[in-house]
Amino acid sequence: MKLFRCQSCANILYFENRSCQRCGHRLAYLPEAADLSAVEPAGLNNEWTPLAAPESRSFFCTNAGHDACNWLVPPGSTDAFCLACRHNGIIPDISQGDNLTYWREMEFAKHRLFYALLRWTLPLTTRAEDPEHGLVFNFLADPPEEGKKAMTGHENGVITIALVEANPAEREKRRHAMGEPYRTLLGHFRHEVGHHYWDVLVRDAGKLDACRALFGDDAQDYGEALKRHHDGGAPADWQENFVSAYATMHPWEDFAETWAHYLHIVDTLEMASAFGLQVQPLLDADGELAAKIDFDPYAAESMQTIIDAWLPFVFAMNSVNRAMGETDLYPFVLAPPVMAKLGFIHDLVHGRV
Ligand SMILES: [Zn+2]
Ligand SMILES: [Zn+2]
Protein backbone atom coordinates (compact mmCIF):
# COMPACT_ATOMS: atom_id res chain seq x y z
CA MET A 1 0.00 0.00 0.00
CA LYS A 2 1.18 3.49 -0.84
CA LEU A 3 1.34 6.37 1.59
CA PHE A 4 -1.11 9.10 0.65
CA ARG A 5 -1.02 12.84 1.29
CA CYS A 6 -3.76 15.43 1.20
CA GLN A 7 -3.29 17.60 -1.94
CA SER A 8 -4.70 20.57 -0.06
CA CYS A 9 -2.69 20.55 3.19
CA ALA A 10 -0.06 17.75 2.84
CA ASN A 11 -1.48 15.83 5.80
CA ILE A 12 -0.67 12.09 5.80
CA LEU A 13 -3.73 9.93 5.10
CA TYR A 14 -4.87 6.35 5.44
CA PHE A 15 -6.41 4.52 2.47
CA GLU A 16 -9.72 4.31 4.38
CA ASN A 17 -9.95 7.99 5.39
CA ARG A 18 -13.19 9.73 4.40
CA SER A 19 -12.03 13.28 5.10
CA CYS A 20 -8.80 15.05 5.90
CA GLN A 21 -8.44 15.55 9.66
CA ARG A 22 -6.43 18.73 9.15
CA CYS A 23 -8.18 20.71 6.39
CA GLY A 24 -11.57 18.98 6.32
CA HIS A 25 -11.56 18.17 2.59
CA ARG A 26 -13.61 15.15 1.61
CA LEU A 27 -11.38 12.37 0.26
CA ALA A 28 -11.83 9.88 -2.56
CA TYR A 29 -9.74 7.08 -3.97
CA LEU A 30 -9.06 7.26 -7.72
CA PRO A 31 -8.27 3.68 -8.82
CA GLU A 32 -7.16 4.74 -12.31
CA ALA A 33 -4.46 6.94 -10.73
CA ALA A 34 -3.89 4.70 -7.68
CA ASP A 35 -4.17 7.86 -5.58
CA LEU A 36 -6.25 9.11 -2.70
CA SER A 37 -7.33 12.66 -3.40
CA ALA A 38 -8.98 15.59 -1.69
CA VAL A 39 -12.11 16.40 -3.69
CA GLU A 40 -14.29 19.47 -4.12
CA PRO A 41 -17.91 19.72 -5.34
CA ALA A 42 -18.04 20.24 -9.13
CA GLY A 43 -21.28 22.14 -9.37
CA LEU A 44 -24.59 20.34 -9.82
CA ASN A 45 -25.36 16.60 -10.09
CA ASN A 46 -23.34 15.47 -7.06
CA GLU A 47 -20.18 15.41 -9.16
CA TRP A 48 -16.79 15.94 -7.54
CA THR A 49 -13.43 17.14 -8.82
CA PRO A 50 -10.28 15.57 -7.35
CA LEU A 51 -7.43 18.00 -6.59
CA ALA A 52 -5.14 15.24 -7.92
CA ALA A 53 -6.94 15.35 -11.30
CA PRO A 54 -8.44 18.86 -11.60
CA GLU A 55 -9.60 18.32 -15.19
CA SER A 56 -11.87 15.40 -14.31
CA ARG A 57 -15.16 15.06 -12.48
CA SER A 58 -17.12 12.03 -11.37
CA PHE A 59 -19.52 10.55 -8.82
CA PHE A 60 -18.95 8.72 -5.59
CA CYS A 61 -19.74 5.00 -5.55
CA THR A 62 -23.28 4.34 -4.32
CA ASN A 63 -21.83 2.48 -1.33
CA ALA A 64 -20.31 5.76 -0.12
CA GLY A 65 -23.88 6.53 0.98
CA HIS A 66 -23.51 3.75 3.60
CA ASP A 67 -19.96 4.85 4.42
CA ALA A 68 -18.85 1.50 3.04
CA CYS A 69 -16.73 2.92 0.18
CA ASN A 70 -14.66 6.05 -0.55
CA TRP A 71 -13.97 5.44 -4.25
CA LEU A 72 -15.11 7.52 -7.22
CA VAL A 73 -16.59 5.78 -10.24
CA PRO A 74 -14.30 6.21 -13.28
CA PRO A 75 -14.81 9.62 -14.98
CA GLY A 76 -17.34 9.38 -17.81
CA SER A 77 -18.84 6.17 -16.42
CA THR A 78 -22.54 5.97 -15.66
CA ASP A 79 -22.01 3.00 -13.30
CA ALA A 80 -23.62 3.38 -9.90
CA PHE A 81 -20.71 1.51 -8.32
CA CYS A 82 -16.93 1.88 -8.30
CA LEU A 83 -14.47 -0.63 -9.79
CA ALA A 84 -14.41 -2.56 -6.48
CA CYS A 85 -18.11 -2.48 -5.57
CA ARG A 86 -19.38 -3.44 -9.03
CA HIS A 87 -18.20 -6.95 -8.06
CA ASN A 88 -20.61 -7.13 -5.11
CA GLY A 89 -23.35 -9.74 -5.29
CA ILE A 90 -25.22 -10.30 -2.03
CA ILE A 91 -24.68 -7.82 0.77
CA PRO A 92 -26.19 -8.35 4.21
CA ASP A 93 -29.43 -6.78 5.42
CA ILE A 94 -27.87 -3.69 6.97
CA SER A 95 -31.02 -2.89 8.96
CA GLN A 96 -30.28 -5.94 11.16
CA GLY A 97 -28.12 -5.91 14.30
CA ASP A 98 -24.41 -5.35 13.70
CA ASN A 99 -24.60 -6.15 9.98
CA LEU A 100 -23.75 -2.62 8.83
CA THR A 101 -20.65 -2.52 11.05
CA TYR A 102 -19.55 -5.97 9.84
CA TRP A 103 -20.21 -5.15 6.19
CA ARG A 104 -18.06 -2.00 6.47
CA GLU A 105 -15.22 -4.13 7.87
CA MET A 106 -15.66 -6.47 4.88
CA GLU A 107 -15.48 -3.52 2.51
CA PHE A 108 -12.28 -2.17 4.11
CA ALA A 109 -10.63 -5.52 3.38
CA LYS A 110 -12.17 -5.91 -0.08
CA HIS A 111 -11.00 -2.45 -1.19
CA ARG A 112 -7.43 -3.26 -0.08
CA LEU A 113 -7.64 -6.44 -2.16
CA PHE A 114 -8.80 -4.47 -5.22
CA TYR A 115 -6.01 -1.94 -4.72
CA ALA A 116 -3.55 -4.78 -5.47
CA LEU A 117 -5.53 -6.38 -8.31
CA LEU A 118 -5.77 -3.00 -10.05
CA ARG A 119 -2.08 -2.17 -9.46
CA TRP A 120 -1.19 -5.29 -11.45
CA THR A 121 -4.03 -4.72 -13.95
CA LEU A 122 -5.09 -8.33 -13.45
CA PRO A 123 -8.10 -9.39 -15.54
CA LEU A 124 -11.37 -8.36 -13.85
CA THR A 125 -14.77 -9.16 -15.29
CA THR A 126 -18.03 -8.71 -13.45
CA ARG A 127 -20.83 -11.25 -13.33
CA ALA A 128 -22.81 -9.02 -15.73
CA GLU A 129 -19.94 -9.11 -18.24
CA ASP A 130 -19.34 -12.86 -17.81
CA PRO A 131 -22.30 -14.69 -16.21
CA GLU A 132 -20.33 -17.97 -16.05
CA HIS A 133 -17.00 -16.94 -14.52
CA GLY A 134 -17.16 -13.22 -13.64
CA LEU A 135 -15.88 -12.27 -10.18
CA VAL A 136 -18.58 -11.60 -7.58
CA PHE A 137 -18.55 -11.34 -3.78
CA ASN A 138 -21.38 -12.51 -1.55
CA PHE A 139 -21.27 -11.48 2.10
CA LEU A 140 -23.53 -13.94 3.86
CA ALA A 141 -25.01 -13.72 7.34
CA ASP A 142 -25.62 -17.09 9.05
CA PRO A 143 -29.08 -18.49 8.18
CA PRO A 144 -31.68 -18.20 10.96
CA GLU A 145 -32.00 -22.00 11.32
CA GLU A 146 -30.36 -23.40 14.44
CA GLY A 147 -26.84 -24.77 13.78
CA LYS A 148 -26.60 -23.51 10.18
CA LYS A 149 -23.57 -21.46 9.20
CA ALA A 150 -22.57 -19.46 6.11
CA MET A 151 -19.43 -20.99 4.59
CA THR A 152 -16.50 -18.99 3.23
CA GLY A 153 -15.30 -20.27 -0.13
CA HIS A 154 -14.98 -19.91 -3.91
CA GLU A 155 -16.68 -21.52 -6.87
CA ASN A 156 -16.47 -20.37 -10.51
CA GLY A 157 -15.78 -16.74 -9.69
CA VAL A 158 -18.31 -16.58 -6.84
CA ILE A 159 -16.55 -15.73 -3.60
CA THR A 160 -18.57 -16.15 -0.42
CA ILE A 161 -17.34 -14.67 2.85
CA ALA A 162 -19.20 -15.51 6.05
CA LEU A 163 -20.23 -12.15 7.52
CA VAL A 164 -19.54 -13.39 11.05
CA GLU A 165 -15.81 -13.38 10.22
CA ALA A 166 -16.03 -9.59 10.63
CA ASN A 167 -16.77 -10.17 14.33
CA PRO A 168 -13.29 -10.18 15.96
CA ALA A 169 -14.33 -12.46 18.86
CA GLU A 170 -15.80 -15.08 16.51
CA ARG A 171 -12.83 -14.86 14.14
CA GLU A 172 -10.38 -15.38 17.01
CA LYS A 173 -12.44 -18.34 18.23
CA ARG A 174 -12.25 -19.93 14.78
CA ARG A 175 -8.53 -19.15 14.45
CA HIS A 176 -7.89 -20.94 17.73
CA ALA A 177 -10.13 -23.90 16.85
CA MET A 178 -8.33 -24.33 13.49
CA GLY A 179 -4.87 -23.99 15.08
CA GLU A 180 -4.00 -21.07 12.76
CA PRO A 181 -1.32 -18.49 13.60
CA TYR A 182 -3.09 -15.80 11.56
CA ARG A 183 -6.69 -15.16 10.50
CA THR A 184 -7.90 -11.83 9.12
CA LEU A 185 -10.62 -10.59 6.78
CA LEU A 186 -7.97 -9.36 4.34
CA GLY A 187 -6.38 -12.82 4.47
CA HIS A 188 -9.73 -14.41 3.54
CA PHE A 189 -10.12 -12.08 0.55
CA ARG A 190 -6.57 -12.66 -0.67
CA HIS A 191 -6.92 -16.44 -0.29
CA GLU A 192 -10.32 -16.82 -1.99
CA VAL A 193 -9.41 -14.60 -4.93
CA GLY A 194 -6.37 -16.86 -5.36
CA HIS A 195 -8.76 -19.69 -6.33
CA HIS A 196 -10.39 -17.38 -8.88
CA TYR A 197 -7.04 -16.43 -10.42
CA TRP A 198 -6.00 -20.09 -10.56
CA ASP A 199 -9.03 -20.55 -12.85
CA VAL A 200 -8.21 -17.47 -14.94
CA LEU A 201 -4.40 -17.36 -15.07
CA VAL A 202 -3.55 -21.07 -14.76
CA ARG A 203 -6.36 -23.39 -15.91
CA ASP A 204 -7.86 -21.17 -18.63
CA ALA A 205 -4.47 -19.84 -19.75
CA GLY A 206 -2.80 -23.19 -20.50
CA LYS A 207 -0.41 -23.04 -17.53
CA LEU A 208 -1.52 -26.24 -15.77
CA ASP A 209 1.71 -28.19 -16.39
CA ALA A 210 3.95 -25.40 -15.12
CA CYS A 211 1.75 -24.98 -12.05
CA ARG A 212 1.55 -28.72 -11.29
CA ALA A 213 5.33 -29.01 -11.43
CA LEU A 214 5.47 -26.89 -8.25
CA PHE A 215 2.10 -27.33 -6.52
CA GLY A 216 1.36 -30.99 -7.40
CA ASP A 217 -1.49 -32.66 -9.28
CA ASP A 218 -4.73 -30.74 -8.73
CA ALA A 219 -6.70 -33.54 -10.41
CA GLN A 220 -6.75 -35.47 -7.12
CA ASP A 221 -10.19 -35.67 -5.52
CA TYR A 222 -10.88 -32.56 -3.44
CA GLY A 223 -13.51 -34.17 -1.20
CA GLU A 224 -11.17 -37.02 -0.25
CA ALA A 225 -8.32 -34.58 0.36
CA LEU A 226 -10.55 -32.52 2.63
CA LYS A 227 -11.58 -35.59 4.64
CA ARG A 228 -7.97 -36.77 4.90
CA HIS A 229 -6.88 -33.34 6.16
CA HIS A 230 -9.67 -33.13 8.74
CA ASP A 231 -9.03 -36.68 9.98
CA GLY A 232 -5.24 -36.73 10.04
CA GLY A 233 -4.12 -33.08 9.88
CA ALA A 234 -1.00 -31.85 8.08
CA PRO A 235 2.16 -34.00 7.74
CA ALA A 236 4.67 -33.39 10.55
CA ASP A 237 7.26 -31.88 8.19
CA TRP A 238 4.84 -29.56 6.37
CA GLN A 239 6.92 -26.44 7.06
CA GLU A 240 9.63 -27.76 4.73
CA ASN A 241 7.34 -27.51 1.69
CA PHE A 242 4.27 -25.44 2.50
CA VAL A 243 3.57 -21.93 3.76
CA SER A 244 0.77 -23.15 6.05
CA ALA A 245 -0.70 -26.39 7.37
CA TYR A 246 -3.89 -25.76 5.39
CA ALA A 247 -1.85 -25.55 2.16
CA THR A 248 -1.02 -29.26 2.51
CA MET A 249 -4.67 -30.20 2.01
CA HIS A 250 -4.85 -30.01 -1.80
CA PRO A 251 -2.80 -28.29 -4.56
CA TRP A 252 -5.66 -25.78 -5.01
CA GLU A 253 -5.34 -24.73 -1.37
CA ASP A 254 -1.57 -24.61 -1.65
CA PHE A 255 -1.92 -22.26 -4.62
CA ALA A 256 -4.50 -20.04 -2.86
CA GLU A 257 -2.45 -19.90 0.35
CA THR A 258 0.75 -19.05 -1.54
CA TRP A 259 -1.13 -16.48 -3.64
CA ALA A 260 -2.42 -14.83 -0.46
CA HIS A 261 1.09 -14.70 0.96
CA TYR A 262 2.42 -13.11 -2.22
CA LEU A 263 -0.20 -10.37 -1.81
CA HIS A 264 0.59 -10.00 1.91
CA ILE A 265 4.30 -9.67 1.20
CA VAL A 266 4.14 -7.27 -1.76
CA ASP A 267 1.60 -4.93 -0.20
CA THR A 268 3.28 -4.84 3.21
CA LEU A 269 6.69 -4.22 1.64
CA GLU A 270 5.25 -1.37 -0.41
CA MET A 271 4.08 0.25 2.83
CA ALA A 272 7.56 -0.23 4.34
CA SER A 273 9.09 1.25 1.19
CA ALA A 274 6.80 4.30 1.41
CA PHE A 275 8.34 5.04 4.81
CA GLY A 276 11.88 4.38 3.55
CA LEU A 277 12.35 1.68 6.18
CA GLN A 278 15.84 0.32 6.57
CA VAL A 279 16.93 -2.74 8.54
CA GLN A 280 20.51 -2.77 9.84
CA PRO A 281 21.02 -5.05 12.82
CA LEU A 282 24.40 -4.35 14.41
CA LEU A 283 25.06 -7.99 15.31
CA ASP A 284 24.86 -9.25 11.76
CA ALA A 285 28.51 -9.51 10.66
CA ASP A 286 28.03 -10.51 7.03
CA GLY A 287 25.25 -8.04 6.32
CA GLU A 288 22.75 -10.68 5.24
CA LEU A 289 20.14 -9.38 7.62
CA ALA A 290 20.35 -5.81 6.37
CA ALA A 291 17.89 -4.37 3.89
CA LYS A 292 16.97 -1.02 2.48
CA ILE A 293 13.43 -1.14 1.18
CA ASP A 294 13.58 1.46 -1.55
CA PHE A 295 11.89 -0.20 -4.51
CA ASP A 296 8.33 -0.74 -5.72
CA PRO A 297 7.48 -4.38 -4.89
CA TYR A 298 4.46 -4.21 -7.23
CA ALA A 299 6.91 -3.72 -10.12
CA ALA A 300 9.85 -5.77 -8.79
CA GLU A 301 11.79 -7.69 -11.47
CA SER A 302 12.38 -10.86 -9.49
CA MET A 303 10.95 -12.67 -6.49
CA GLN A 304 14.48 -12.79 -5.08
CA THR A 305 14.52 -8.98 -4.76
CA ILE A 306 11.30 -9.17 -2.78
CA ILE A 307 12.51 -12.06 -0.56
CA ASP A 308 15.84 -10.34 0.14
CA ALA A 309 13.97 -7.35 1.56
CA TRP A 310 11.15 -9.32 3.19
CA LEU A 311 13.18 -11.64 5.45
CA PRO A 312 15.12 -8.96 7.37
CA PHE A 313 12.04 -6.73 7.46
CA VAL A 314 9.93 -9.51 8.99
CA PHE A 315 12.58 -10.38 11.55
CA ALA A 316 12.63 -6.73 12.60
CA MET A 317 8.84 -6.32 12.66
CA ASN A 318 8.26 -9.57 14.54
CA SER A 319 10.78 -8.36 17.13
CA VAL A 320 8.97 -5.02 17.37
CA ASN A 321 5.63 -6.79 17.90
CA ARG A 322 7.10 -9.09 20.55
CA ALA A 323 8.44 -6.04 22.37
CA MET A 324 4.85 -4.84 22.55
CA GLY A 325 3.63 -8.21 23.85
CA GLU A 326 1.86 -8.93 20.57
CA THR A 327 2.01 -11.97 18.32
CA ASP A 328 4.37 -11.87 15.34
CA LEU A 329 3.41 -9.59 12.45
CA TYR A 330 4.23 -12.47 10.07
CA PRO A 331 4.07 -15.79 11.94
CA PHE A 332 5.31 -17.92 9.03
CA VAL A 333 8.52 -19.48 7.75
CA LEU A 334 9.42 -19.37 4.05
CA ALA A 335 11.31 -22.57 3.15
CA PRO A 336 13.09 -22.73 -0.25
CA PRO A 337 10.26 -24.74 -1.95
CA VAL A 338 7.76 -22.12 -0.74
CA MET A 339 9.95 -19.35 -2.19
CA ALA A 340 9.93 -21.21 -5.53
CA LYS A 341 6.12 -21.32 -5.44
CA LEU A 342 6.03 -17.60 -4.61
CA GLY A 343 8.32 -17.07 -7.61
CA PHE A 344 5.75 -18.83 -9.82
CA ILE A 345 2.97 -16.55 -8.52
CA HIS A 346 5.24 -13.53 -9.10
CA ASP A 347 5.85 -14.57 -12.72
CA LEU A 348 2.15 -15.35 -13.19
CA VAL A 349 1.04 -11.93 -11.93
CA HIS A 350 3.54 -10.26 -14.25
CA GLY A 351 2.56 -12.43 -17.24
CA ARG A 352 5.94 -14.17 -17.44
CA VAL A 353 4.98 -17.86 -16.97
ZN1 LIG B 1 -6.02 18.21 4.06
ZN1 LIG C 1 -17.42 1.37 -4.10
Side-chain angles (χ1 to χ4, degrees):
M1 179 61 64
K2 286 182 180 178
L3 184 61
F4 303 106
R5 261 177 204 284
C6 176
Q7 290 77 7
S8 172
C9 73
N11 195 22
I12 297 278
L13 308 167
Y14 289 112
F15 183 59
E16 287 84 9
N17 282 162
R18 273 42 176 160
S19 63
C20 176
Q21 295 291 314
R22 186 184 285 165
C23 72
H25 268 87
R26 189 167 181 184
L27 301 170
Y29 186 68
L30 319 176
E32 61 281 358
D35 202 2
L36 189 67
S37 179
V39 295
E40 291 179 344
L44 301 170
N45 297 329
N46 289 322
E47 284 183 301
W48 296 77
T49 290
L51 299 195
E55 304 304 313
S56 79
R57 50 171 57 193
S58 57
F59 301 95
F60 269 94
C61 173
T62 298
N63 286 341
H66 301 295
D67 200 20
C69 180
N70 64 346
W71 290 28
L72 291 178
V73 301
S77 163
T78 53
D79 272 359
F81 295 99
C82 72
L83 292 180
C85 295
R86 66 193 196 121
H87 290 275
N88 280 8
I90 301 169
I91 64 157
D93 179 354
I94 56 175
S95 69
Q96 297 293 314
D98 291 324
N99 283 3
L100 178 58
T101 306
Y102 292 161
W103 178 46
R104 283 178 183 147
E105 291 297 323
M106 288 280 175
E107 291 294 344
F108 284 162
K110 190 198 76 185
H111 284 77
R112 281 187 178 253
L113 170 70
F114 271 88
Y115 168 86
L117 304 181
L118 292 164
R119 284 293 305 277
W120 284 310
T121 58
L122 291 175
L124 277 169
T125 48
T126 63
R127 215 62 185 173
E129 291 160 347
D130 178 357
E132 300 280 308
H133 302 292
L135 180 63
V136 61
F137 292 86
N138 292 333
F139 305 123
L140 293 190
D142 286 339
E145 295 89 3
E146 182 77 16
K148 288 218 169 166
K149 283 186 158 56
M151 297 292 286
T152 296
H154 164 268
E155 191 166 18
N156 283 327
V158 181
I159 289 175
T160 305
I161 313 264
L163 188 67
V164 71
E165 290 279 348
N167 176 341
E170 178 62 27
R171 192 172 62 248
E172 175 61 14
K173 202 171 110 190
R174 292 180 179 201
R175 186 192 69 75
H176 193 257
M178 308 279 280
E180 296 169 342
Y182 170 93
R183 189 179 183 96
T184 64
L185 283 185
L186 187 49
H188 282 314
F189 278 95
R190 286 173 172 164
H191 173 100
E192 297 304 336
V193 93
H195 289 302
H196 173 64
Y197 280 107
W198 183 89
D199 287 357
V200 175
L201 300 176
V202 176
R203 184 193 65 194
D204 299 347
K207 309 280 168 61
L208 274 177
D209 288 343
C211 188
R212 285 172 178 164
L214 285 163
F215 292 89
D217 185 7
D218 53 84
Q220 59 182 279
D221 190 89
Y222 188 86
E224 282 174 21
L226 183 64
K227 189 176 181 312
R228 195 170 57 237
H229 184 74
H230 277 196
D231 292 348
D237 62 350
W238 66 264
Q239 289 210 344
E240 289 171 25
N241 291 292
F242 298 90
V243 74
S244 69
Y246 188 61
T248 65
M249 202 260 271
H250 187 278
W252 286 340
E253 298 306 340
D254 191 14
F255 182 90
E257 284 287 89
T258 311
W259 173 280
H261 276 258
Y262 182 70
L263 268 63
H264 291 329
I265 291 168
V266 168
D267 202 58
T268 305
L269 266 189
E270 187 187 42
M271 195 79 260
S273 172
F275 282 98
L277 289 193
Q278 227 174 318
V279 181
Q280 281 180 311
L282 294 172
L283 294 177
D284 182 40
D286 55 12
E288 266 186 36
L289 262 181
K292 191 170 182 206
I293 306 159
D294 57 358
F295 62 98
D296 176 3
Y298 276 94
E301 258 313 298
S302 76
M303 191 63 213
Q304 197 58 49
T305 309
I306 296 174
I307 295 276
D308 288 347
W310 182 245
L311 297 182
F313 168 74
V314 159
F315 194 81
M317 290 310 297
N318 286 353
S319 304
V320 167
N321 271 27
R322 289 180 187 208
M324 207 42 215
E326 292 283 356
T327 53
D328 287 351
L329 174 77
Y330 187 74
F332 302 96
V333 174
L334 298 179
V338 175
M339 294 185 199
K341 292 176 198 176
L342 285 166
F344 177 82
I345 308 266
H346 176 81
D347 291 343
L348 200 60
V349 160
H350 290 283
R352 296 192 203 118
V353 173

